[in-house]
């Protein structure tokens, strides 16, 4: 059974070094988290799986890494300055501020008062200042989504790579939203990471491609270990749709706090490229540049040659931090063993595990055991599978429990039989491999270890 409440996941994340509250030393910054030594490995593995499945396995999807600091004009013309808002209310009694759609029975979550102000729009973008002078022209935003960096590079990609429709641009990166009420650990946060693709198609082919991307993304999440019964699709109703979308299907996951959005797959039509085509024509007019065919960059494609049109775009947009939380929720298991002892085990897919294998010498202060264990560690590390841990607590049972909790798929123990060379001992030159989920142990010759590990991670 997966995790039943968020507290057990938060506790494991802190205890074992996955995720910490940011600035905890000074009381913590609300809605901002730091990934610890194991969390960063898990997050990087999830990113790598996404990049491989989308960019490397599709010849028509290209990678991009655009800037986080973004010009004000981009978000004026994208519509975010006027529409990227949540409705908020203030509690007149305790002065706390809430998102109106988060309140139950129109009641302050803090003090329970129903004496609330009328809802007011609150823009969620973080503003900052670029350069030494603080005035209207020096403002920039921390991007609230990675998508705009793709749209504003559309012409650069067309000019440099000449892709043919349909094609996509993929990006993983940080985005920032000044959430009024961050909550549920890393689910709703102010600084987060997105994994987004803008997939450009001919108008008229958008609806089948939208469906195709919903299916592709659902399949991918299942391959990360999320079970079918905890995943569901939800088409947004007209009142929920963002200002740019014709249709959006959300992939919901059953987090400990309920079914919530893990990824949205939106049909953004020609809204964004159309807005930026108009936007920069406006900017050119304001700058008194003669507006003619050449001075305005039309964000269009020609197909067939001579026939210009603005492509439609399908956008699968996943929250990476939410993905990490979903994977942790699914993997978390508390089991009662045959001797009534309990163990916590993270049943992560091997490709996501922060540590690929732990090498454990039977004793920590026996030079021959330590040397052999170190040699094996380095030979496995060179395979490039990820981190191989050398574990010298000198307590095998404790090491197994620790590696169960952090999801290490394999523990390899080096003992006196490993060092033994006599032929009469059938265990000579072998190590013990212990498998995380079944706890089954078997001995294999050291000479076969590399091939065994490579096969396991293939
Ligand atoms: Zn209140």
């Amino acid at each position: 059974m997966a995790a039943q409440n968020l507290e057990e996941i938060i506790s494991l994340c802190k205890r074992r070094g996955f995720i910490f509250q940011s600035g905890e030393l000074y009381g913590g910054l609300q809605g901002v988290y730091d990934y610890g030594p194991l969390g960063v490995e898990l997050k990087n593995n999830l990113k790598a799986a996404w990049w491989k499945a989308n960019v490397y396995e599709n010849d028509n999807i290209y990678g991009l890494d655009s800037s986080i600091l973004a010009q004000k004009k981009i978000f004026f013309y994208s519509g975010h300055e006027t529409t990227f808002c949540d409705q908020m209310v203030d509690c007149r009694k305790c002065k706390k501020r809430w998102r109106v759609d988060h309140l139950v029975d129109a009641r302050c979550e803090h003090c329970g008062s129903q004496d609330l102000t009328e809802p007011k729009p609150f823009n969620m973008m973080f503003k900052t200042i670029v350069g030494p002078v603080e005035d209207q022209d020096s403002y920039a935003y921390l991007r609230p989504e990675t998508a705009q960096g793709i749209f504003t590079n559309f012409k650069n990609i067309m000019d440099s790579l000449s892709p043919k429709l349909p094609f996509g641009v993929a990006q993983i990166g940080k985005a920032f939203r000044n959430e009024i009420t961050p909550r549920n650990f890393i689910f709703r946060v102010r600084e987060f990471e997105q994994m987004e693709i803008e997939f450009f198609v001919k108008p008229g082919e958008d609806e089948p491609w939208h469906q195709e991307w919903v299916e592709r993304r659902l399949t991918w999440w299942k391959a990360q270990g999320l079970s079918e019964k905890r995943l569901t699709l939800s088409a947004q109703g007209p009142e929920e749709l963002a200002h740019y979308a014709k249709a959006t299907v959300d992939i919901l996951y059953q987090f400990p706090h309920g079914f919530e959005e893990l990824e949205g797959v939106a049909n953004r039509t020609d809204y964004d490229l159309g807005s930026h085509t108009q936007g920069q024509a406006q900017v050119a007019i304001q700058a008194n540049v003669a507006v003619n065919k050449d001075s305005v960059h039309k964000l269009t494609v020609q197909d067939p040659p001579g026939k210009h049109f603005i492509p439609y775009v399908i956008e699968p947009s996943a929250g990476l931090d939410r993905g990490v939380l979903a994977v942790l929720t699914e993997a978390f298991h508390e089991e009662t063993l045959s001797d009534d002892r309990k163990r916590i085990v993270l049943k992560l897919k091997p490709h996501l595990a922060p540590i690929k294998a732990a090498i454990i010498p039977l004793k920590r202060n026996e030079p021959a055991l330590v040397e052999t264990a170190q040699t094996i560690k380095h030979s496995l590390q060179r395979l490039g599978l990820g981190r191989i841990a050398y574990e010298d607590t000198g307590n095998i049972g404790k090491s197994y429990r620790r590696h169960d909790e952090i999801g290490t798929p394999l523990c390899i123990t080096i003992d006196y039989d490993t060092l033994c060379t006599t032929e009469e001992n059938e265990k000579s030159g072998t190590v013990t491999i212990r498998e995380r989920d079944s706890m089954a142990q078997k001995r294999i010759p050291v000479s076969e270890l590399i091939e065994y590990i490579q096969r396991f991670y293939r």
Side-chain angles (χ1 to χ4, degrees), residues 9 12-13 16 18 38-43 45-46 222-226 253 323-333 335 343-356 402-410 435-438 456-457:
I9 294 176
L12 174 80
C13 283
R16 294 300 188 186
F18 281 88
L38 296 182
V40 66
E41 299 289 343
L42 171 59
K43 187 159 86 155
N45 291 340
L46 195 58
K222 287 179 195 163
Q224 308 318 307
L226 304 190
Y253 178 74
V324 169
L325 184 58
V327 162
L328 285 170
T329 300
E330 188 85 40
F332 185 99
H333 288 72
E335 293 178 349
R343 76 157 182 162
I344 290 172
V345 53
L346 272 191
K347 296 187 173 178
L348 295 169
K349 288 273 183 186
H351 72 280
L352 296 178
I355 292 174
K356 300 304 175 193
R402 182 175 114 76
H403 282 283
D404 283 346
E405 271 200 40
I406 65 177
T408 307
L410 300 171
E435 203 270 330
R436 176 194 68 199
D437 296 352
S438 66
F456 185 87
Y457 280 103

Side-chain angles (χ1 to χ4, degrees), residues 235-381:
Q236 289 187 4
E239 71 292 345
E240 292 173 277
L241 281 177
H243 63 275
Y244 48 73
K246 169 179 168 184
T248 296
V249 174
D250 287 333
I251 299 174
L252 309 183
Y253 178 74
Q254 190 183 7
F255 291 98
H257 62 280
F259 273 100
E260 286 229 52
E261 182 190 341
L262 178 62
E263 173 157 357
V265 185
N267 181 346
R268 291 176 81 129
T269 70
D270 58 359
Y271 176 84
D272 302 275
L273 293 180
S275 302
H276 289 305
T277 299
Q278 285 175 12
Q280 34 113 31
Q282 290 289 324
V283 170
I285 291 165
Q286 283 159 15
N288 288 321
V289 174
V291 178
N292 60 41
K293 250 174 33 196
D294 300 324
S295 68
V296 171
H297 305 300
K298 289 204 177 68
L299 305 180
T300 59
V301 295
Q302 293 187 57
D303 189 10
K307 187 179 174 283
H308 284 270
F309 63 91
I310 297 176
Y312 270 35
V313 66
I314 307 302
E315 177 195 71
S317 171
L320 176 58
D321 308 84
R322 291 177 179 195
V324 169
L325 184 58
V327 162
L328 285 170
T329 300
E330 188 85 40
F332 185 99
H333 288 72
E334 186 173 330
E335 293 178 349
T336 305
L337 305 177
S338 54
D339 58 0
D340 272 353
R341 275 187 307 120
K342 294 226 192 298
R343 76 157 182 162
I344 290 172
V345 53
L346 272 191
K347 296 187 173 178
L348 295 169
K349 288 273 183 186
H351 72 280
L352 296 178
I355 292 174
K356 300 304 175 193
I359 314 299
I360 312 168
L362 184 67
K363 287 186 175 164
R364 68 203 293 186
N365 40 20
E366 181 74 52
L369 285 174
V370 167
E371 195 190 323
T372 303
Q374 285 281 10
T375 304
I376 290 174
K377 183 234 138 86
H378 291 298
S379 68
L380 295 184
Q381 191 63 69

Side-chain angles (χ1 to χ4, degrees), residues 131-323:
V133 180
E134 186 174 342
D135 62 18
Q136 266 309 310
D137 295 330
S138 62
Y139 280 115
Y141 290 114
L142 300 186
R143 62 182 179 194
E145 58 175 25
T146 64
Q148 295 304 321
I150 298 178
F151 298 128
T152 54
N153 276 296
F154 179 81
K155 189 173 185 303
N156 292 329
I157 290 167
M158 289 302 293
D159 291 350
S160 55
L161 295 163
S162 312
K164 299 274 178 288
L165 293 178
F167 74 92
V169 181
Q171 172 161 230
I172 300 176
K174 290 238 171 168
F176 302 82
R177 294 180 189 178
N178 197 2
E179 291 283 351
I180 301 163
T181 41
R183 57 181 62 201
N184 294 321
F185 194 35
I186 53 170
F187 181 82
R188 188 175 302 286
V189 284
R190 290 179 167 139
E191 174 176 340
F192 55 99
E193 225 165 333
Q194 291 185 310
M195 305 188 289
E196 292 194 313
I197 299 166
E198 305 302 328
F199 193 78
F200 301 99
V201 301
K202 283 185 185 168
E205 294 178 4
D206 51 313
E207 287 177 19
W209 272 113
H210 187 213
Q211 195 50 45
E212 163 73 16
W213 273 106
V214 171
E215 282 160 27
R216 280 194 198 182
R217 297 302 306 141
L218 193 59
T219 304
W220 184 82
W221 281 113
K222 287 179 195 163
Q224 308 318 307
L226 304 190
S227 58
E228 186 135 26
K229 64 177 194 299
R230 298 178 74 92
L231 286 163
T232 186
L233 298 177
S234 163
Q236 289 187 4
E239 71 292 345
E240 292 173 277
L241 281 177
H243 63 275
Y244 48 73
K246 169 179 168 184
T248 296
V249 174
D250 287 333
I251 299 174
L252 309 183
Y253 178 74
Q254 190 183 7
F255 291 98
H257 62 280
F259 273 100
E260 286 229 52
E261 182 190 341
L262 178 62
E263 173 157 357
V265 185
N267 181 346
R268 291 176 81 129
T269 70
D270 58 359
Y271 176 84
D272 302 275
L273 293 180
S275 302
H276 289 305
T277 299
Q278 285 175 12
Q280 34 113 31
Q282 290 289 324
V283 170
I285 291 165
Q286 283 159 15
N288 288 321
V289 174
V291 178
N292 60 41
K293 250 174 33 196
D294 300 324
S295 68
V296 171
H297 305 300
K298 289 204 177 68
L299 305 180
T300 59
V301 295
Q302 293 187 57
D303 189 10
K307 187 179 174 283
H308 284 270
F309 63 91
I310 297 176
Y312 270 35
V313 66
I314 307 302
E315 177 195 71
S317 171
L320 176 58
D321 308 84
R322 291 177 179 195

Side-chain angles (χ1 to χ4, degrees), residues 91 94 108 111:
C91 171
C94 74
C108 171
C111 72

Side-chain angles (χ1 to χ4, degrees), residues 436-447:
R436 176 194 68 199
D437 296 352
S438 66
M439 295 184 288
Q441 299 186 22
K442 64 176 166 190
R443 296 198 75 105
I444 69 158
V446 174
S447 58

Side-chain angles (χ1 to χ4, degrees), residues 78-140:
S78 72
H80 285 76
E81 278 197 342
T82 44
T83 56
F84 197 65
C85 300
D86 277 332
Q87 295 294 320
M88 53 141 203
V89 292
D90 289 329
C91 171
R92 290 199 179 92
K93 198 170 163 206
C94 74
K95 309 295 178 206
K96 290 228 185 285
R97 183 164 282 185
W98 304 104
R99 242 175 89 166
V100 72
D101 59 330
H102 281 171
L103 294 181
V104 180
D105 299 335
R107 218 174 255 288
C108 171
E109 268 188 27
H110 181 68
C111 72
S113 168
Q114 285 186 300
D115 188 10
L116 306 173
T117 60
E118 283 301 303
K120 283 190 298 241
F122 171 78
N123 195 292
M124 294 160 72
M125 289 193 291
F126 281 100
K127 255 184 184 174
T128 189
I129 292 152
V130 175
V133 180
E134 186 174 342
D135 62 18
Q136 266 309 310
D137 295 330
S138 62
Y139 280 115

